[in-house]
Amino acid sequence: MNILIYSLIIFIVFCIILIWIINTYNKYQALIIRINESEASIDTTLRKRFDLLNKSIGIIKSNTDEENVLEIIPKLRSKKLTNFELDRQLYEAINEYGIYKEKYDELKNNTDFLKIDIGINETESEIVAFRKYYNDIITDYNKLAKTFPSNLIGIVCNYKKKTYFDGKNMDDEITNDFKL
């Protein structure tokens, strides 16, 4: 009789542990799916931004006396970049784009240029929203990957901590400048 009770207790404990493992694994999988969806949305918006900047090159050249306009854009076509890197490169191009916009009044009167400008502004708000959504998901994922006992599943499945999409250089170190 005692062996039956002990066997039942061991079986119940085993089932509880198995249910916890399956549940934790499924949490990881759900977050990974959301991360991939978010990355796809960011990628689509960055490509849209790239296309808009690419279209603006001809308009800027035809309405100004500038020869070398947004030279970074054609160079990006042949590069294999992550979304993080592409985002930084496009921000540099947008800053240059803004200089042309302020410098040449003719551009402000060009309807095609104004449509591109509106599109770029829309992509900016989209990127901000997608970046926040992505970072929220990464926070949840990193909590799972770093806290016990869910990190055990992460170790077994080789789930590593992921980097936030914050628009900063990925090589930037976190500094603690707080002083008392």
Side-chain angles (χ1 to χ4, degrees), residues 10-163:
I10 290 172
F11 179 74
I12 291 172
V13 169
F14 175 77
C15 287
I16 290 171
I17 291 171
L18 185 63
I19 289 169
W20 173 82
I21 289 171
I22 292 169
N23 186 38
T24 303
Y25 178 80
N26 287 340
K27 284 180 186 179
Y28 271 111
Q29 292 305 308
L31 289 171
I32 289 169
I33 289 168
R34 288 177 56 205
I35 289 168
N36 291 338
E37 289 172 348
S38 177
E39 286 174 342
S41 297
I42 290 170
D43 184 58
T44 301
T45 305
L46 290 174
R47 288 180 192 281
K48 185 176 171 185
R49 178 180 276 183
F50 174 85
D51 291 341
L52 289 167
L53 288 168
N54 194 34
K55 287 178 186 176
S56 74
I57 293 172
I59 296 170
I60 293 170
K61 283 183 177 180
S62 66
N63 286 286
T64 66
D65 55 356
E66 298 286 337
E67 289 291 322
N68 302 322
V69 175
L70 299 173
E71 288 181 323
I72 194 169
I73 296 298
K75 292 177 186 174
L76 291 177
R77 286 186 198 128
S78 61
K79 291 184 178 179
K80 184 81 172 158
L81 300 173
T82 66
N83 282 344
F84 297 113
E85 295 164 332
L86 181 59
D87 185 48
R88 283 191 294 279
Q89 297 290 323
L90 290 178
Y91 267 112
E92 288 178 24
I94 287 174
N95 288 337
E96 184 181 343
Y97 168 88
I99 291 170
Y100 293 122
K101 185 170 96 173
E102 294 302 317
K103 186 175 179 182
Y104 296 101
D105 288 332
E106 306 88 51
L107 293 173
K108 294 177 186 175
N109 297 326
N110 185 308
T111 55
D112 291 333
F113 186 82
L114 291 175
K115 287 178 186 176
I116 289 172
D117 193 46
I118 290 169
I120 289 174
N121 289 332
E122 287 173 355
T123 62
E124 176 61 26
S125 61
E126 289 174 11
I127 285 288
V128 168
F130 289 137
R131 185 183 292 142
K132 182 183 179 335
Y133 178 67
Y134 177 86
N135 287 341
D136 289 346
I137 298 167
I138 293 299
T139 297
D140 294 340
Y141 176 89
N142 286 343
K143 283 179 188 175
L144 267 181
K146 289 295 180 184
T147 57
F148 183 80
S150 62
N151 67 340
L152 298 175
I153 303 299
I155 291 168
V156 169
C157 295
N158 200 27
Y159 296 144
K160 305 268 189 239
K161 183 180 173 196
K162 295 193 179 277
T163 307

